Amino acid sequence: MEGWSLVSLCVLLGLTARWAVSLNPYSGAGKAPLFGDYEAQRHWQEVTCNLPVHQWYFNTTDNDLDYWGLDYPPLTAYHSLLCGHGDHDVLIADIFIYIPAVVSYCLYLVNGSVKKKVATMLCILLYPGLTLIDYGHFQYNGVSLGLTLLGVLGLGLGRDLLGSVAFTLALNYKQMELYHSLPFFCYLLGKCAKQGLTGRGLMQLLKISVTVLVTFALCWLPFLSDPGQLLQVVHRLFPVARGLFEDKVANAWCSLNVLIKIKTLLSTETQLSLSLVLTLLAVLPSSIKLFTRPTLWQFKLALVNSSLAFFLFSFQVHEKSILLPEHLFCSMLPLLLKDGLLLPYVVTSVAFVYYSVYLLSALERSTDEQLRLQPLHTLIPPCLPSLSFSCILKWKFAFSLVAMGGLSFASAVMEPPARLPDLFPVLVSVFSFLQFLGLLLYFNLVQLTEAAGKKNNKKTK
Amino acid sequence: MAASMTRWFGWFPALTLGVTLIKCLLINTYRSTDFEVHRNWLAITHTLPVSDWYFEETSEWTLDYPPFFAWFEFCLSHLAKYFDKEMLVVQNLNYASPATILFQRLSVILTDLLLVYAVKECCNIIGTCKSKEFLGIRPFVLAVLLLWNFGLLITDHIHFQYNGFLFGILLLSIVRHFQNRHLEGALLFAVLLNLKHIYLYIAPAYGIFLLRSYCIISNSSDGSFCWRSFSTVRFTLLGSLVLSVFALSFGPFIALGQMPQVLSRLFPFKRGLCHAYWAPNMWALYNVVDKALSVLGVKFQLLKTLPKASMTGGLVQEFYHSVLPSVTPLATLICTLISILPSLWILWWRPNGAQGFLRCITICALGSFLFGWHVHEKAVLMSILPFSLLAVKSREDAGIFLMLSTSGHFSLLPLLFTAPELPIKVLLMLLYTLSSFAALKTLFSREGPLLRSMEQLYLMGLIPLEVVCEWVYPLTAWQQTLPFIPLMMTSVYCALGITYSFIRLYILALRTKLDREKSH
């Protein structure tokens, strides 16, 4: 079949799966008093349409911030303003931003035959985490992720300015993209440094900085007039008063809390400093390596490492932030169960695992080198590289699948003992945390040990 | 390692799993009244004795399928009680708890496994696949056309019916005839008839084929035969097999003296010429022509007054035509028989083995669809699905198939009229249409184009038609006064495509006959 028809079929399949998920019960349907993310979106549309700009982020009689107050950067607010109310919003946002980004990315930056590109595209589009969160929960993560992908694409094709603009827009849409910002920064800085810090490198650096600053200024224009405005928006975006974590999330603090109740032991300021320091420490090796060797492959690895590090150690992380390193979606299970999304979760997970393994293994010759040289898009679950002859990792993959399956089944079917009502969510969180920690170590290892004379992984079959 | 991986993860399981997962995601979508119909039948067969099954009238959805389907519902009801006992209470009209929905939907998805098995058998007889390049080979294309058939997906898994496994039985029966296992094929078809009697549409094809190609053992290659080679043994065997199936099915009711009641339930001729939504057949065209003539007649003062609109609204309606003669059930029967007679003739005088039989089935199904009484638009699937087997074998058939399936499927779109299902039906339709076009084009890429430019133009016209019907028309003032216009437009437009396909099929059948005669 011709390339374009394969691509179209792939896109149609992705869209169909996504829309079918949204036909299932959505987040907070009919559950007073807060009604979930769908209500949040609707409320933001109300606020942005009816109130003047300088009141959007402030607590006034018209705008009760406790009832789904705006806590995303200005681009989200503008988006709410533009959107007509309707169920098709997420689909339209996907059609215009996320899907074109994925398609362009796969066509340009994935190496191999057309079939391989389409297979990768299908796997990304079928990825359950994004589908379930955006369509089951009514969020617009597809927009920010799509913009980030376009940023990576831009950088990959050598168009640094366009890539920077795209990523800055992503950042101004959801502040979660900060998780990816360090790699972008280090890569661009490293590239400029390589070109010589006097002369061409400096010119390039200046151009990029100006572009980024201008983009920021344009997004934040209505709020720049008053420093009070600026502070309030920042305050809404980074709610430091809310503590180290909320709910059950698969990161270091939540897992640590099982053993030592740090949330109560330390003051908020101490918690903030601790998480900041640890996050920076976790991210430092990868960033430095990227700065010294600014190649595309290093960049992709750094993206994974940075987002994982931030997820594991940062402040006030929500489960949905796992979309960024995008690993085992099972850790979102407690959240999804709460919203009756079990069926779509099972279906999309099964589809994803089956098709990833089938399509990508059938098309690749698995050798030991593939472990490190998989020319895969970083946003694909990193568990896939383990499809090789390396027995240890194969067994680990199988084991983690079985464990996750068992935990999912148990959470859905069994009742937890009365003394430990949160048993299953906590178990899922801790298990996932260990998995993510392992991944962080593995990917840091891969990135840091990449020798200067490594074989070019871009060779085709 | 890689080899065994691909065995477990072959293209056939991938296609099956994919479509099954889509079906699972559709569990919570819109359900039509057919959902309640089947729930009611579960309740009736579970709680009442056999003697009451065809007399029960608490619900308006009385049992109107043959006895084997009633027994099928009976078996299902014994599983249903583990999901929700309340659905089996006859008085619980319109009962639809989440457990009920899950059970019924799962029952459709699981019975579809029979269809999967049948498709696997079809793929086996259509060709083998040794290469890894599976995207352009016949079995793969056939599996895509059958397993992912858009009509089946939305009729069974959204609208709610049990056509999947029934078509599985039909395809299996056809495959057995290809494999010269005629008795098995006949048995399967007899069972099918007793599950859903709409397959009577193609019973003449079966009858003629079995008589001619099974009972008459002829060895001549030009198709001529002599009556002396008529095998009484085979005929008796066949007859007794078919009769025993029917006896098993209707026997209890004959014994109870309930046959008249059963027959009146199975063949409710009190219903009108057309269903509430006109199937895209000849009578839809006939209705429109009649309406147009009456309007013109009044304009040119050939008629006294504009006859009252008598074709709109209602579920069961009588049609009175104003200018053209009114149509009776007998008239439709005669028209149907006339339309299928030539192909039966060809099947008798110039049999072409199982291939000719398949062509005859398609023509019979299509003819009955075009001229039948109170035809449902879903009946177009009876011609599309068997025809898929021919479409992957010849370029001309592929072209006709694309015309038939696209217009046929398009006419099914109005079945789903709710807003949340709109993107799904459009996406699935695009998915199937694109795959069938791309796959068939790849298959016959070396033989030239599949469609003529007029045909391409016609099919492209479906897009603006859909846009107008779904988005533009509801915004106009006519939506209030003439709400049936989009349905009528869809029906008429598709009827043109389907009639065209019917004519081309006949031309092809006659040409094949003439070619074979010339070569002798």
Side-chain angles (χ1 to χ4, degrees):
Chain A
M1 278 196 230
E2 291 162 15
W4 70 265
S5 52
L6 279 176
V7 171
S8 318
L9 281 173
C10 180
V11 168
L12 282 173
L13 264 174
L15 282 173
T16 308
R18 293 164 131 64
W19 187 255
V21 166
S22 81
L23 290 174
N24 284 274
Y26 57 81
S27 147
K31 290 191 205 148
L34 281 185
F35 292 103
D37 288 311
Y38 187 69
E39 172 62 18
Q41 302 289 341
R42 198 210 51 77
H43 178 74
W44 293 345
Q45 268 156 14
E46 225 178 32
V47 165
T48 51
C49 281
N50 297 320
L51 297 179
V53 173
H54 60 264
Q55 283 187 13
W56 287 356
Y57 288 91
F58 280 91
N59 209 353
T60 63
T61 42
D62 290 326
N63 182 13
D64 177 14
L65 286 183
D66 282 333
Y67 183 75
W68 295 117
L70 257 180
D71 50 6
Y72 284 122
L75 269 189
T76 302
Y78 303 149
H79 188 201
S80 296
L81 186 58
L82 280 175
C83 271
H85 178 61
D87 297 321
H88 307 289
D89 291 344
V90 188
L91 190 70
I92 294 175
D94 260 11
I95 292 178
F96 282 107
I97 300 185
Y98 183 67
I99 297 206
V102 172
V103 170
S104 328
Y105 183 88
C106 290
L107 289 179
Y108 286 108
L109 287 189
V110 170
N111 298 297
S113 66
V114 172
K115 290 213 196 94
K116 177 122 152 262
K117 296 181 201 241
V118 175
T120 316
M121 204 184 301
L122 187 62
C123 287
I124 301 180
L125 287 179
L126 282 183
Y127 177 65
L130 188 60
T131 312
L132 288 171
I133 290 292
D134 273 12
Y135 287 84
H137 263 252
F138 278 102
Q139 293 210 342
Y140 292 90
N141 297 298
V143 176
S144 55
L145 281 171
L147 285 168
T148 311
L149 258 182
L150 286 173
V152 175
L153 181 65
L155 261 53
L157 292 175
R159 324 272 259 171
D160 291 343
L161 290 179
L162 285 176
S164 320
V165 170
F167 183 67
T168 316
L169 287 175
L171 199 53
N172 281 303
Y173 195 85
K174 292 225 180 215
Q175 70 273 33
M176 222 157 64
E177 291 297 332
L178 268 177
Y179 289 20
H180 282 144
S181 52
L182 263 178
F184 270 87
F185 178 70
C186 294
Y187 175 75
L188 288 169
L189 195 62
K191 232 177 119 176
C192 293
K194 278 262 164 352
Q195 289 178 329
L197 267 178
T198 53
R200 273 189 63 206
L202 190 61
M203 268 314 296
Q204 184 71 351
L205 189 61
L206 277 176
K207 274 198 274 187
I208 297 176
S209 325
V210 167
T211 318
V212 168
L213 285 172
V214 167
T215 318
F216 257 102
L218 282 174
C219 293
W220 289 67
L221 204 56
F223 305 98
L224 289 178
S225 48
D226 175 23
Q229 279 281 326
L230 216 56
L231 274 178
Q232 174 65 2
V233 179
V234 172
H235 187 67
R236 286 296 301 166
L237 294 183
F238 302 103
V240 294
R242 272 155 75 173
L244 208 47
F245 63 85
E246 275 178 1
D247 235 345
K248 305 285 170 290
V249 67
N251 77 351
W253 307 122
C254 185
S255 309
L256 195 58
N257 207 44
V258 174
L259 300 170
I260 322 168
K261 298 277 174 255
I262 44 167
K263 223 179 159 177
T264 44
L265 272 182
L266 307 169
S267 70
T268 320
E269 287 80 31
T270 329
Q271 288 173 16
L272 192 54
S273 324
L274 185 65
S275 74
L276 200 62
V277 166
L278 264 171
T279 313
L280 281 176
L281 273 179
V283 128
L284 209 57
S286 139
S287 306
I288 295 180
K289 177 75 192 218
L290 176 60
F291 177 73
T292 55
R293 256 180 79 80
T295 65
L296 196 59
W297 178 236
Q298 282 281 326
F299 177 49
K300 291 185 191 176
L301 285 172
L303 280 172
V304 176
N305 282 321
S306 166
S307 45
L308 264 176
F310 269 86
F311 178 79
L312 288 176
F313 297 106
S314 175
F315 204 80
Q316 258 299 312
V317 171
H318 287 268
E319 309 91 356
K320 294 168 204 162
S321 310
I322 201 64
L323 281 177
L324 295 146
E326 289 184 1
H327 183 51
L328 297 169
F329 34 82
C330 304
S331 69
M332 284 194 290
L333 182 60
L335 179 68
L336 296 173
L337 271 183
K338 245 198 316 185
D339 295 319
L341 280 172
L342 181 64
L343 180 65
Y345 158 74
V346 169
V347 168
T348 41
S349 312
V350 171
F352 182 73
V353 174
Y354 184 91
Y355 283 99
S356 312
V357 174
Y358 167 56
L359 287 172
L360 293 166
S361 68
L363 294 173
E364 299 211 14
R365 251 176 298 151
S366 304
T367 63
D368 262 318
E369 284 178 346
Q370 299 286 13
L371 243 182
R372 301 184 167 214
L373 304 174
Q374 287 282 5
L376 288 177
H377 172 51
T378 44
L379 296 179
I380 288 184
C383 59
L384 281 173
S386 62
L387 286 176
S388 72
F389 289 131
S390 172
C391 283
I392 308 161
L393 277 152
K394 255 195 321 183
W395 280 111
K396 182 220 166 268
F397 179 57
F399 168 70
S400 53
L401 266 186
V402 167
M404 278 302 173
L407 272 175
S408 309
F409 182 70
S411 313
V413 168
M414 290 166 33
E415 286 293 322
R419 270 195 319 148
L420 306 162
D422 281 329
L423 180 66
F424 288 123
V426 171
L427 273 180
V428 169
S429 300
V430 174
F431 186 74
S432 310
F433 162 67
L434 292 170
Q435 297 268 345
F436 298 152
L437 196 61
L439 278 172
L440 182 65
L441 291 169
Y442 169 68
F443 274 102
N444 267 302
L445 209 65
V446 171
Q447 183 178 6
L448 295 171
T449 59
E450 193 198 0
K454 80 168 168 61
K455 242 184 279 185
N456 190 355
N457 69 316
K458 295 195 196 328
K459 68 171 188 281
T460 49
K461 297 184 303 217
Chain B
M1 181 65 197
S4 64
M5 282 270 260
T6 40
R7 198 163 43 94
W8 276 107
F9 289 89
W11 55 265
F12 193 81
L15 282 176
T16 312
L17 187 65
V19 77
T20 311
L21 291 174
I22 298 268
K23 292 173 189 173
C24 290
L25 282 177
L26 294 175
I27 285 182
N28 282 308
T29 55
Y30 157 81
R31 305 174 300 277
S32 71
T33 49
D34 277 336
F35 183 85
E36 166 61 15
V37 169
H38 288 280
R39 186 215 61 80
N40 186 39
W41 293 354
L42 281 173
I44 292 178
T45 52
H46 190 81
T47 52
L48 298 174
V50 178
S51 51
D52 280 345
W53 286 0
Y54 284 94
F55 283 91
E56 172 60 37
E57 277 180 342
T58 312
S59 162
E60 59 177 317
W61 310 115
T62 54
L63 188 58
D64 55 6
Y65 275 20
F68 274 1
F69 200 88
W71 288 109
F72 167 70
E73 294 275 13
F74 176 73
C75 297
L76 275 184
S77 68
H78 283 282
L79 294 169
K81 63 187 185 207
Y82 296 111
F83 280 75
D84 187 344
K85 287 204 173 53
E86 295 298 312
M87 75 171 108
L88 298 171
V89 176
V90 179
Q91 280 73 26
N92 277 345
L93 298 181
N94 294 312
Y95 184 75
S97 68
T100 311
I101 297 173
L102 186 64
F103 172 71
Q104 295 242 67
R105 290 279 197 208
L106 278 180
S107 68
V108 183
I109 295 175
L110 287 171
T111 51
D112 267 4
L113 289 175
L114 189 51
L115 176 67
V116 172
Y117 172 68
V119 173
K120 189 83 177 76
E121 293 285 299
C122 289
C123 291
N124 285 340
I125 60 163
I126 214 86
T128 50
C129 159
K130 290 279 185 278
S131 72
K132 275 204 215 163
E133 276 299 310
F134 56 80
L135 283 180
I137 57 159
R138 259 185 256 277
F140 177 78
V141 176
L142 184 63
V144 166
L145 291 179
L146 289 173
L147 286 176
W148 284 74
N149 186 291
F150 168 75
L152 267 185
L153 263 177
I154 63 165
T155 316
D156 275 11
H157 300 279
I158 302 184
H159 188 265
F160 198 83
Q161 279 208 335
Y162 283 94
N163 294 304
F165 84 98
L166 294 172
F167 276 109
I169 300 178
L170 177 64
L171 287 171
L172 208 51
S173 156
I174 294 174
V175 167
R176 293 293 173 251
H177 285 301
F178 267 90
Q179 294 169 329
N180 283 320
R181 287 150 73 167
H182 295 292
L183 280 179
E184 285 181 46
L187 176 66
L188 284 167
F189 187 67
V191 168
L192 184 63
L193 272 182
N194 284 292
L195 277 167
K196 192 165 178 181
H197 51 300
I198 199 177
Y199 291 94
L200 274 173
Y201 284 2
I202 53 180
Y206 265 86
I208 302 286
F209 175 70
L210 286 168
L211 266 180
R212 177 66 179 84
S213 299
Y214 178 65
C215 298
I216 295 178
I217 313 168
S218 71
N219 291 321
S220 54
S221 56
D222 68 344
S224 67
F225 68 98
C226 58
W227 279 103
R228 258 176 286 146
S229 64
F230 182 86
S231 159
T232 351
V233 173
R234 286 191 173 185
F235 182 72
T236 327
L237 210 54
L238 193 62
S240 42
L241 197 62
V242 171
L243 279 174
S244 46
V245 172
F246 274 84
L248 201 61
S249 162
F250 287 98
F253 301 96
I254 299 177
L256 289 166
Q258 292 183 347
M259 278 312 281
Q261 171 69 2
V262 174
L263 287 174
S264 74
R265 283 285 180 88
L266 293 183
F267 302 100
F269 275 101
K270 286 198 294 287
R271 298 193 191 160
L273 173 65
C274 290
H275 194 44
Y277 159 56
W278 302 348
N281 65 3
M282 290 305 274
W283 306 125
L285 293 174
Y286 191 83
N287 290 343
V288 161
V289 168
D290 180 68
K291 200 72 173 170
L293 284 178
S294 67
V295 166
L296 282 174
V298 166
K299 226 186 171 125
F300 293 115
Q301 273 128 21
L302 295 167
L303 286 180
K304 290 287 170 2
T305 53
L306 191 61
K308 196 164 62 76
S310 57
M311 297 177 202
T312 57
L315 179 63
V316 167
Q317 12 170 3
E318 298 295 323
F319 281 78
Y320 298 108
H321 295 103
S322 15
V323 177
L324 301 170
S326 276
V327 182
T328 62
L330 188 61
T332 63
L333 189 62
I334 295 175
C335 287
T336 312
L337 283 174
I338 296 177
S339 72
I340 65 176
L341 223 49
S343 84
L344 292 173
W345 183 258
I346 296 172
L347 188 62
W348 178 265
W349 286 107
R350 292 278 175 266
N352 199 6
Q355 196 129 329
F357 170 52
L358 194 47
R359 196 173 295 281
C360 188
I361 286 184
T362 313
I363 293 181
C364 285
L366 210 44
S368 312
F369 175 81
L370 283 172
F371 294 99
W373 178 267
H374 203 86
V375 168
H376 286 242
E377 59 284 341
K378 308 177 206 108
V380 75
L381 290 174
M382 210 191 302
S383 46
I384 294 179
L385 278 154
F387 191 41
S388 316
L389 284 153
L390 287 175
V392 296
K393 287 222 126 165
S394 100
R395 186 182 69 85
E396 282 223 52
D397 281 329
I400 304 176
F401 175 80
L402 287 176
M403 275 296 278
L404 180 62
S405 67
T406 315
S407 11
H409 286 155
F410 188 86
S411 71
L412 293 174
L413 286 178
L415 273 181
L416 305 178
F417 48 83
T418 46
E421 274 68 33
L422 176 61
I424 273 280
K425 77 181 185 194
V426 168
L427 284 171
L428 284 174
M429 173 92 192
L430 281 172
L431 197 58
Y432 182 77
T433 314
L434 191 59
S435 343
S436 54
F437 272 77
L440 287 173
K441 200 163 147 214
T442 316
L443 202 52
F444 297 108
S445 53
R446 266 168 283 184
E447 296 179 42
L450 293 174
L451 293 172
R452 303 177 190 148
S453 33
M454 279 306 290
E455 296 170 350
Q456 287 178 4
L457 206 62
Y458 170 82
L459 290 176
M460 295 297 287
L462 288 172
I463 302 178
L465 180 63
E466 172 69 4
V467 168
V468 166
C469 289
E470 292 277 2
W471 287 288
V472 175
Y473 194 83
L475 297 172
T476 64
W478 294 312
Q479 176 67 10
Q480 310 302 327
T481 47
L482 301 165
F484 58 88
I485 293 282
L487 290 180
M488 197 168 83
M489 287 200 298
T490 310
S491 184
V492 168
Y493 197 86
C494 296
L496 293 171
I498 296 177
T499 315
Y500 173 79
S501 311
F502 183 64
I503 296 172
R504 272 200 69 187
L505 265 173
Y506 248 121
I507 295 176
L508 192 57
L510 287 167
R511 216 175 52 215
T512 321
K513 168 181 174 300
L514 287 172
D515 284 343
R516 290 189 78 226
E517 277 175 359
K518 257 192 254 169
S519 67
H520 293 307

